[in-house]
Amino acid sequence: MVSQNHKTIRSTAVFGLTAPAGVKTPVRVEMRYESSEPYAVNMSFHAGMSGQIDWLIARDLLADGLVVASGEGDVQIIPQLDNHEVVIIALSSPSGQAAFEAPAAKLAEFLDETYGVVAPGDEGQWMSIDEELSRLLQTDLH
């Protein structure tokens, strides 16, 4: 049975964008978790004059990345052994790459809030795979 009592969790944090010369620039990041999409966290990076850049990151990947290097390809989460207060979130796309220092405690707090809404392993109770497949198949790909 799919739950219909969907909830949204939001939190804002400041991540440090690491420039090639090692300079860190603060970037405001809005994290959003919706129980209707229980496997993902939306992160909106507010990049000053260039606007907002959105990334959808697996909730499990964020959680794993707090304790062990996780992810392949476009998204990697890497805990810092010498500084347990931050994790590196490395993003890669055809448009470029970016690495952010994110406050580990803030990420852990946000994830704990999401687990209060949808417990790990219960994600399937919050979405209908059949409905999602039907929605995807109805999308005009032309």
Side-chain angles (χ1 to χ4, degrees):
M1 179 158 164
V2 177
S3 177
Q4 299 299 318
N5 299 322
H6 291 294
K7 294 183 181 177
T8 300
I9 304 293
R10 295 178 191 273
S11 183
T12 302
V14 175
F15 291 6
L17 173 61
T18 305
V23 176
K24 303 220 182 345
T25 303
V27 174
R28 185 172 58 91
V29 178
E30 292 179 22
M31 298 176 285
R32 186 179 74 244
Y33 177 80
E34 297 183 23
S35 62
S36 60
E37 295 183 19
Y39 294 101
V41 170
N42 183 295
M43 290 194 172
S44 297
F45 296 82
H46 296 273
M49 300 297 263
S50 18
Q52 175 178 311
I53 300 166
D54 293 323
W55 277 80
L56 205 58
I57 300 175
R59 181 172 75 156
D60 288 350
L61 177 63
L62 282 175
D64 292 347
L66 289 173
V67 292
V68 64
S70 303
E72 296 178 11
D74 294 348
V75 180
Q76 296 180 12
I77 315 294
I78 307 158
Q80 297 304 284
L81 300 177
D82 60 336
N83 181 358
H84 296 286
E85 294 180 9
V86 299
V87 296
I88 301 298
I89 298 178
L91 306 174
S92 178
S93 77
S95 301
Q97 300 176 352
F100 297 89
E101 283 190 355
K106 187 74 171 176
L107 285 176
E109 178 183 304
F110 174 76
L111 287 169
D112 284 346
E113 286 185 61
T114 72
Y115 297 147
V117 174
V118 178
D122 288 350
E123 293 89 353
Q125 297 175 22
W126 290 83
M127 68 181 294
S128 167
I129 299 297
D130 291 338
E131 287 176 19
E132 287 297 314
L133 284 174
S134 177
R135 184 181 62 80
L136 288 171
L137 293 173
Q138 290 175 0
T139 303
D140 185 10
L141 300 176
H142 294 43

